Amino acid sequence: ALPIFPLSDRQIDQFLVVARAVGTFARALDCSSSVRQPSLHMSAAAASRDITLFHAMDTLHKLEYDLSSAISILVPQGGPVLCRDEMEDWSASEASLFEDALEKYGKDFNDIRQDFLPWKSLTSIIEYYYMWKTTDRYVQQKRLKAAEAESKLKQVYIPTYNKPNPNQLSSNNGKAGAMNGAIGPSNQSQTPSVGRACESCYRVSCKRPYVTSSYTGNANSKYRQSKVRNKVPPDRK
C-alpha cells in the first residue's frame, strides 16, 4: 500500500517557500555570500537552487512531515541554515580558472585539477562542471564558439581549377595540335596521321634514322647515340 502523508501538496509547497526565504535571509547574514551576491534577487536565486530544496525535503521526511519541527530545524538557535552547492561555493577567480582549464584540456578533469585547481577535489570539479553547463555563461560561450566557427567557414575561398589533360593538346582556333608534343615552324603544317614527326625537318617520314627514332634527348645525346650505331650525321662530319 502507498504511504499516506498527513500534508497536502499545498502545505508542502508552502514549506518549500519558507525554506527559500530562510536561505535568502541566511545569505544576507553571511559576509562571503553578501560579496558574491550583492543584490537581493541574486541571493533569492541562489536560495532557490536544488541544494536548498533537497535539504528542506529531507528534513521534512526525517521528521515524518511535522511542519513545526521541520521549521525549527531550518532555523536553529544559532541562526538560519545556509545550504550552498559547488556553483555558489566557488569564487569568481576559481570559475575563471576553470573555464581556462576547460578550454585547454576539455573534460580531462584530472589535468584540470593538477594544473589549475589543485586545492579542489575531483568530485567538486566534476559537480561544478555539470552545474556550470546549466548557466547562462555556458550558453553564451557556446554561441560565441559557434559564431566564430561560422565566420571561419565564410572566409574560405576555393577557386575553380580545371587541370589540363597532357594527352590532349589543342589550339584555341581549332587547328591540329603538335603530334607527340613536337612543335615545328609556323609555316609548316603537321599531318595528324601516324608516326612521330622528325625533330630536325618536322616531317613525318625522314631518311635519317637517328632523328626519327623514339629518343627524345638533346642534339648532343643524339649525336652520341648515332656514333654508337656507327652512323655519323652528314651535318657533323
Side-chain angles (χ1 to χ4, degrees):
L2 295 175
I4 300 175
F5 302 115
L7 300 179
S8 62
D9 294 340
R10 177 177 175 80
Q11 289 175 322
I12 294 177
D13 292 338
Q14 290 174 343
F15 174 74
L16 294 180
V17 172
V18 173
R20 295 189 188 98
V22 170
T24 304
F25 180 65
R27 284 165 177 78
L29 297 178
D30 185 64
C31 297
S32 60
S33 298
S34 300
V35 176
R36 295 173 183 176
Q37 291 96 20
S39 61
L40 178 60
H41 72 277
M42 293 179 63
S43 298
S48 300
R49 297 184 63 84
D50 293 338
I51 187 68
T52 302
L53 302 181
F54 288 163
H55 175 72
M57 293 297 296
D58 182 66
T59 302
L60 187 63
H61 181 73
K62 288 180 178 179
L63 297 175
E64 297 180 354
Y65 297 90
D66 186 359
L67 284 178
S68 59
S69 300
I71 293 175
S72 299
I73 295 297
L74 292 180
V75 188
Q77 187 176 0
V81 175
L82 177 60
C83 300
R84 291 188 296 193
D85 54 13
E86 295 295 336
M87 180 60 65
E88 188 180 359
D89 195 35
W90 286 38
S91 63
S93 59
E94 290 174 342
S96 179
L97 283 175
F98 175 79
E99 292 179 359
D100 295 339
L102 195 66
E103 184 72 20
K104 182 178 181 180
Y105 293 119
K107 292 193 292 185
D108 195 345
F109 300 114
N110 289 317
D111 290 342
I112 291 175
R113 180 178 180 270
Q114 182 178 358
D115 295 342
F116 286 85
L117 299 166
W119 59 90
K120 293 288 186 180
S121 64
L122 187 61
T123 304
S124 176
I125 294 175
I126 295 175
E127 184 178 352
Y128 179 82
Y129 168 74
Y130 286 102
M131 289 184 177
W132 175 77
K133 289 187 68 175
T134 62
T135 60
D136 294 337
R137 176 72 175 173
Y138 169 76
V139 177
Q140 292 175 0
Q141 289 191 359
K142 191 173 182 180
R143 291 177 180 175
L144 182 60
K145 290 181 179 179
E148 290 178 355
E150 186 178 358
S151 64
K152 290 180 180 179
L153 291 177
K154 289 182 179 180
Q155 294 175 0
V156 175
Y157 173 72
I158 302 177
T160 57
Y161 174 71
N162 296 324
K163 184 177 181 180
N165 190 352
N167 298 324
Q168 297 178 356
L169 299 176
S170 59
S171 60
N172 296 330
N173 296 328
K175 297 180 181 180
M179 184 176 295
N180 294 332
I183 302 175
S186 59
N187 57 356
Q188 295 183 5
S189 61
Q190 294 283 341
T191 304
S193 56
V194 293
R196 179 180 176 85
C198 178
E199 298 179 0
S200 178
C201 62
Y202 302 101
R203 296 178 182 176
V204 176
S205 61
C206 182
K207 295 181 180 180
R208 300 177 183 178
Y210 74 96
V211 177
T212 57
S213 63
S214 60
Y215 186 76
T216 58
N218 53 24
N220 295 329
S221 299
K222 294 174 185 176
Y223 178 70
R224 288 194 297 269
Q225 182 185 16
S226 63
K227 289 187 66 177
V228 173
R229 297 179 181 177
N230 295 327
K231 295 180 182 180
V232 180
D235 56 351
R236 294 182 181 268
K237 290 182 180 180

